[in-house]
Each structure stands twice: as C-alpha cells, then as structure tokens.
Amino acid sequence: MEKAYKLLINGRLVDGAATMPVINPATGEPFVDAPRADIGQLNEAVAAAKSAFPEWSKRPITERRELLIALSNALEERVPEFAALLTREQGKPLAQATMECMGCVFVIRGMASFDLSPKVLREDESMRAIEYRSPLGVVAAITPWNFPLILLINKVAPALLAGNTLVIKPAPTTPLTTLLLGEIFASLFPRGVINVIADQNDLGAALTHHPDIAKIAFTGSTATGRKVMSAAAGTIKRVTLELGGNDAALVLEDADLQETARKVFDGAMLNAGQICIAIKRVYVHESMYDAFCDELARLANDLVVGDGSELATQLGPIQNKAQYEKLQQLLDDARENGTVIAGGNVLSRPGYFIAPTIVRDVDDDALIVREEQFGPILPVLKYTDINGAIERINNSEYGLGGTVWGRDVSKAASIAERVNSGTVWVNKHMDIAADLPFRGAKQSGLGAELGLAGLEEYTQARVINVALTGC
Ligand code: NAD
C-alpha cells in the first residue's frame, strides 16, 4: 500500500480538505493521492506561523542553527528514500535526484554557517551607527516542479536561520517530497514554525495576498512572478522572485570542440532541460559550427532515455502533461524554422517522453530561440562577429545565467562581463553553492537567493545611530 501523505499545520500532520492524484511522468499514471488544502487550512497555517513567530524569532541564532544542522542530518539519513520519491513524482534520473537531495544537505549546512551579527557602519568620538538585522515575520515559500526540494531548501534554511516562520506551498504536480519533508519538520521544529500545505494551483493568490505574510519567496515562471509582485503590493511585502531564463552558451573560436560540446550538451539536457539555468540556446563561431552541430547530434543520439528509476537512464520524462504538450508545439516550430538533426519527436511509449533534440540553421526570432523552452531541445545558432553575438544574446527579456567557453580564459572572462545576466559561468556551468548569491537580471527575477545577500533578504535592516556627546 502507498504511504499516506499529510499536510503540516500548527505542528500536526493532518489530512487535506480534499485529495488530488499525483502522476508519475514516466508512466503518465497516477500512483498516489496527495492531500489538498482548502482556504480554511491555508488560513490556519498562516495563523500558526504568525503565533509561532514571537518565540522563534527571540531564540538565539545559535539554537536555530543547531536545529538546521539537525534538519540536514535527518535529511542525509533518508536520502535514498527522498531520492526515489523525487524520481517518481518529478521524473529525473535517480542519480540526479540523489544529487538534488545531497545538495539540500549542503545548502542547509552552508547557510547555517552564516551569521547576522550587528555591523558597525561608522564610529568616532561623536557618534556610532550600527546596523542590526531582524527577522520579517511569516514567509510564504512557493516552489515550482523542476527542483521541488533544493528550491525549497534555498528558502527554508535562510528564512529559519534569520528567525522567520514559514508557510510552504509546493507545485501541484510535485507535492510529495515537500510533504515528506514536513514529517521531518514536525519532528524537529516547534509547533507552527514551519507549515506545509498543498494545492492544485488554486491557493497561490490567497497566500500571496494574505495580510499576515511579510515576505514571499517565490520560484517559478515570469508570468506567475508578475502576479506575485502585484499581490505583494497591497501590504508592501518583501519579495524574492527567481523566475524564468533563456540562457545562452557562447562558444568562442578557440574553444575545445569535443569537450565544450559535451559540457554544453549536458548543461542543456540535465533534468530533461527543465532547469531555469539550463543552456537554452547556443551560439557557435562559424569556423566550427558544422562540426559542433554534428557532435551535439551524436551526443543526443547516444543518450539513454527512459524511466528515471532505471539505473541506465540518462534522460527522464517531461514532468507534466501541460509542459509536454507545450514542447510538442515548439517541436513543430523547430521543424518549420530550422533543421532538426537529432530527435524532434515524442517517444511512442507511455509517459511524457521527448527525444533529445538538436536544431540547427535556426533564426533568432524562431519561437524555439526566443522562448524559454524548458525541455530537451537545443537550438544551435551561428555567429561570425563577437559583438554581434553578444548583442543577440542580450536581446532577451530574460537575464538569469549564461556561459562562455574558450581556451583563452581571460578573454572568455572579459567577454562574460558583457553578458547581462545574474550569473555567467566561464568554462563551467551550474556551479551554485550556499556561499554564492544567485539572482536574475531583467525579467528573470528580483533579489538574491543563497549567499549572505540571500540570507539578508529574510531580514529587516535597522540602523541605530547614537550621538556620543551631549544629548
Ligand atoms: P509556475 O509559475 O507555473 O508555478 C510556480 C509555483 O507558483 C507553483 O507552486 C504554483 O502552484 C504557484 N502559483 C500558481 N499561481 C500562483 C499565483 N497566482 N500566485 C502565487 N503562486 C502561484 O512555474 P512552474 O511551471 O511550476 O515552473 C517552471 C518555471 O519556473 C520556469 O519558468 C522556470 O524557469 C522557473 N524557474 C526559475 C528558477 C530560478 O531560480 N530563477 C528555478 C527553477 C524554475
């Protein structure tokens, strides 16, 4: 019999007001029912977080840090269980699911090592100005379906360390690992400090408009991010928005063809391309364009596609039917506006599988280039002049990440400085860590996640400015 999943409200693991089926994307079939909260349960969760805040926020940071370390240890002990469930609800290959779970352990420990000591801003014989950081109150943490665990932990760890309480809401198609984490939260944290609800895409607006929410930490699409930002306006809630991206890889003339093609390919296909910072378009110098395309096509044809729970699988299914259908439209566009040299089709088997696809000879204004595809489809574009390539790369409403590849590292690094994105990697990709802030430029987001800057997003800065002479 399948395990029963519960919401976590005010320290109690409870049934939802209703249930909703969760589908395994590798089969297209539901395999378990998850609890679904109603508006009454959402309000109870916010009220519980609000009443837990005064006591939790007054605890010394050392105590909150100890509880975070306990959380990382408890999660580490159960990584195989969490990883198997993550593969089942999200679809990613088990090795990638395990990496995501271990990433959570490291992020919790990394964030726990930060401090929020008062900072002396200026001090002399006549005055002393000190900046203090205090928690905000109740944080709503809202996550998408591509990395349900790590994107949640990126929010939970700094929010708790800073002394906030939380109401968490996962995406409707991947609620299970978050609900399972709720069992660990229930066993470690005081009542009401962390609450977990789940919905069917119907409670986000109520949560983000709720007057008792002080901050919204949101990861998801730019379209929903706009709604979150306007919901925050009512009570001037703090927001962190980690939104969509259309990251480009720029392959310079002197790049090593084989090695770069392999790394660019991996950066495009990991998690079936369903990563905000996946490589979503690649610009290759004309001198190696044909050979680079051929190498990408070879890698695509060699990739083992299948159920993520099978050990040989390198590329799993698309996480949900809506995204699978959207990708089929993009495949149609790719066939019309480019030359498909690998893949280009859905697999004729149950589940939401798309063959890894490489498209060449495609224009900048094709849908597959302009839109965030969020799937295993990589358009390859030719350039002759570096200034033109950078202009084309920056000509996007997004600015999340990006990569530059070349043997001359200082030249590649100086070109990276011209890419208008929150993070640009040179000769590597997806190096995200607890001590490095991650943020989007333009419509890819607002505010930082991770790093000290990410932690400070969960605090209110207050400056106490004292005259030391006279009164
Ligand atoms: P989505 O915007 O559809 O949903 C994200 C979350 O928002 C879900 O939990 C959803 O239930 C909730 N939601 C829906 N309506 C809401 C509303 N009105 N108010 C508040 N919350 C609401 O995104 P998705 O399809 O689940 O995820 C894919 C998107 O996420 C892609 O665009 C991807 O680039 C982006 N993403 C960004 C990052 C980043 O760090 N920048 C990381 C991962 C994914």
Side-chain angles (χ1 to χ4, degrees), residues 143-146 169 201 218-221 224 242-244 276 372 374:
T143 50
W145 44 258
N146 59 339
K169 193 203 81 60
N201 251 347
F218 173 83
T219 302
S221 61
T224 312
E242 299 292 342
L243 308 178
C276 54
E372 175 188 38
F374 226 60

Side-chain angles (χ1 to χ4, degrees), residues 91-106:
K92 64 186 66 186
L94 192 58
Q96 290 177 32
T98 304
M99 267 168 43
E100 182 173 342
C101 296
M102 283 311 296
C104 293
V105 172
F106 296 135

Side-chain angles (χ1 to χ4, degrees), residues 42 46 140-142 169 203-218 224-239 241:
L42 180 153
V46 177
I142 302 177
K169 193 203 81 60
L203 293 181
L207 186 56
T208 50
H209 279 93
H210 200 297
D212 290 334
I213 297 290
K215 177 192 166 88
I216 307 161
F218 173 83
T224 312
R226 280 189 198 100
K227 293 185 194 164
V228 171
M229 205 166 164
S230 82
T235 51
I236 315 290
K237 296 174 173 51
R238 276 50 184 157
V239 287
L241 302 175

Side-chain angles (χ1 to χ4, degrees), residues 48 134 144-145 176 180 196 202 214 298 329 333 338 352 378 408 433:
S134 41
W145 44 258
L176 300 179
L180 188 60
V196 182
D202 56 336
R298 188 188 68 75
Q329 288 169 10
D333 178 75
Y352 311 136
L378 181 63
D408 180 340

